[in-house]
Amino acid sequence: MGTADISGVRAFLVGLQERITSAIAELDGQPFVADHWQKELGEPLQGNGITQILEQGAVFERAGCGFSHVRGPKLPPSATQHRPELAGAPFEAMGVSLVFHPRNPYVPTVHMNVRMLAATPLGGGEPVCWFGGGMDLTPYYGFDEDAVHFHQTCKDALDPFGGDKYPRFKQWCDEYFYLKHRQEQRGIGGVFFDDFHELGRDQSFAMVQSVADSFLKAYLPIVQKRKDTPYGEREREFQLYRRGRYVEFNLVWDRGTHFGLQSGGRTESILMSMPPLASWAYQRQVEAGSPEDRLYKEFLPRRDWV
């Protein structure tokens, strides 16, 4: 992928970040704070980015959306487990990643990430380019119509690129966002793909753009529908407890977090996905037949939503 192609990917990602944060700020009534950063000379990675963060808003307790564009002398292990021939190769990576933690427990947490990696084989030759990304929803209280809407929007974004894409990427998402130590899904999933280049560079990038551009359509209607739902201490306590699972997944299993930390990325930006508050309890039980019980029995088990 040449310099001109990479600049086109960068322009799309920067614009994507701006469109999403503008829409969320308008909904919340509070602007994002933009932190422009540049890696210092001598650090393992070189590059720059923009971390945009909204904290203690009316709708979102914490909403982080980051763009980064970095170069490094050698790919870390988390990026080459499926590409051993590129182990230690110099690379370039860019992407947009977001996690929004709502204040109201009836509004689900959401994650979205789209990215491109390009690496030059150590023995020489053309750079190898691939894409990854997806989005997934983590409700605290489940609503069938919200889950169907989210998954249908993901499917609509992928269908132009082949009818196999949504089923494959939905299953991949279910398998990826799984807390193995809990034997439990993180949420109701969505779509996820990695190491993707099978459509060729241009069409693979077009697919990534389609997924990214569908994010607001997938998430905003759910927020608008649930953000004013009355709630009390019980719902808030359960939300904080379930947020603990989110923290566990991001620190223990998430390849993106591991890639950023292993490659010498910017820690503050990598960990902006963490909720501002979370809690843990020893062997916490939920009441049978309760809305909390319904989350475990009807929403967290893997199922087809569309």
Side-chain angles (χ1 to χ4, degrees), residues 20 23 135 149-150 152-154 156-157 210-224:
I20 291 173
M135 65 178 100
H149 167 77
F150 190 84
Q152 185 66 55
T153 306
C154 290
D156 291 345
S210 182
V211 170
D213 286 338
S214 71
F215 169 75
L216 290 173
K217 181 181 176 184
Y219 186 56
L220 281 191
I222 298 172
V223 179
Q224 290 162 336

Side-chain angles (χ1 to χ4, degrees), residues 208-244:
V208 169
Q209 290 174 288
S210 182
V211 170
D213 286 338
S214 71
F215 169 75
L216 290 173
K217 181 181 176 184
Y219 186 56
L220 281 191
I222 298 172
V223 179
Q224 290 162 336
K225 188 185 299 183
R226 308 295 173 194
K227 66 183 177 66
D228 298 318
T229 304
Y231 68 91
E233 188 175 330
R234 169 180 171 159
E235 291 90 346
R236 175 63 169 170
E237 183 202 22
F238 187 63
Q239 178 195 43
L240 296 184
Y241 175 71
R242 291 298 308 171
R243 279 182 179 175

Side-chain angles (χ1 to χ4, degrees), residues 164-281:
D164 65 312
K165 301 299 182 296
Y166 169 76
R168 278 173 55 199
F169 297 166
K170 191 268 185 194
Q171 180 179 350
W172 202 339
C173 187
D174 286 340
E175 292 172 354
Y176 182 79
F177 291 105
Y178 180 67
L179 286 83
K180 299 181 183 70
H181 62 291
R182 299 276 189 187
Q183 297 185 324
E184 179 182 288
Q185 298 298 134
R186 186 170 83 171
I188 63 157
V191 291
F192 176 85
F193 55 94
D194 202 4
D195 267 344
F196 188 86
H197 58 97
E198 66 191 57
L199 298 178
R201 184 194 63 206
D202 293 344
Q203 276 297 97
S204 296
F205 178 43
M207 188 190 78
V208 169
Q209 290 174 288
S210 182
V211 170
D213 286 338
S214 71
F215 169 75
L216 290 173
K217 181 181 176 184
Y219 186 56
L220 281 191
I222 298 172
V223 179
Q224 290 162 336
K225 188 185 299 183
R226 308 295 173 194
K227 66 183 177 66
D228 298 318
T229 304
Y231 68 91
E233 188 175 330
R234 169 180 171 159
E235 291 90 346
R236 175 63 169 170
E237 183 202 22
F238 187 63
Q239 178 195 43
L240 296 184
Y241 175 71
R242 291 298 308 171
R243 279 182 179 175
R245 297 287 206 269
Y246 212 88
V247 172
E248 289 178 23
F249 179 85
N250 281 17
L251 293 181
V252 177
W253 300 109
D254 187 62
R255 279 179 63 195
T257 302
H258 296 168
F259 173 85
L261 297 176
Q262 288 172 1
S263 61
R266 190 170 184 263
T267 302
E268 199 73 5
S269 296
I270 295 163
L271 297 182
M272 73 174 179
S273 63
M274 298 299 155
L277 295 170
S279 69
W280 283 262

Side-chain angles (χ1 to χ4, degrees), residues 4 11 65 94 116 122 125 153 158 161 194 200 245 251 261 277 303 305:
C65 183
M94 69 177 84
M116 182 212 77
L122 288 174
T153 306
L158 288 165
F161 302 91
D194 202 4
R245 297 287 206 269
L251 293 181
L261 297 176
L277 295 170
R303 57 186 277 197
W305 290 103

Side-chain angles (χ1 to χ4, degrees), residues 29-215:
Q30 179 172 311
F32 281 74
V33 174
D35 179 15
H36 294 254
W37 54 267
Q38 178 89 32
K39 299 295 288 184
E40 298 293 331
L41 289 174
E43 291 195 42
L45 288 183
Q46 293 298 298
N48 54 68
I50 309 164
T51 298
Q52 294 207 44
I53 192 88
L54 185 162
E55 295 191 285
Q56 301 305 322
V59 178
F60 293 97
E61 199 167 1
R62 188 173 211 220
C65 183
F67 163 77
S68 65
H69 183 186
V70 296
R71 300 170 187 83
K74 61 179 183 176
L75 278 166
S78 58
T80 57
Q81 61 186 46
H82 301 303
R83 293 171 174 272
E85 75 279 7
L86 291 175
F91 72 96
E92 186 165 359
M94 69 177 84
V96 165
S97 182
L98 65 83
V99 176
F100 297 159
H101 291 290
R103 186 175 293 281
N104 191 312
Y106 288 100
V107 181
T109 285
V110 73
H111 160 257
M112 193 271 286
N113 173 275
V114 285
R115 58 194 177 275
M116 182 212 77
L117 266 78
T120 304
L122 288 174
E126 287 295 308
V128 179
C129 171
W130 65 98
F131 297 89
M135 65 178 100
D136 64 285
L137 200 66
T138 305
Y140 306 98
Y141 291 90
F143 297 92
D144 287 64
E145 62 266 35
D146 294 354
V148 170
H149 167 77
F150 190 84
H151 276 270
Q152 185 66 55
T153 306
C154 290
K155 183 177 185 298
D156 291 345
L158 288 165
D159 277 352
F161 302 91
D164 65 312
K165 301 299 182 296
Y166 169 76
R168 278 173 55 199
F169 297 166
K170 191 268 185 194
Q171 180 179 350
W172 202 339
C173 187
D174 286 340
E175 292 172 354
Y176 182 79
F177 291 105
Y178 180 67
L179 286 83
K180 299 181 183 70
H181 62 291
R182 299 276 189 187
Q183 297 185 324
E184 179 182 288
Q185 298 298 134
R186 186 170 83 171
I188 63 157
V191 291
F192 176 85
F193 55 94
D194 202 4
D195 267 344
F196 188 86
H197 58 97
E198 66 191 57
L199 298 178
R201 184 194 63 206
D202 293 344
Q203 276 297 97
S204 296
F205 178 43
M207 188 190 78
V208 169
Q209 290 174 288
S210 182
V211 170
D213 286 338
S214 71
F215 169 75

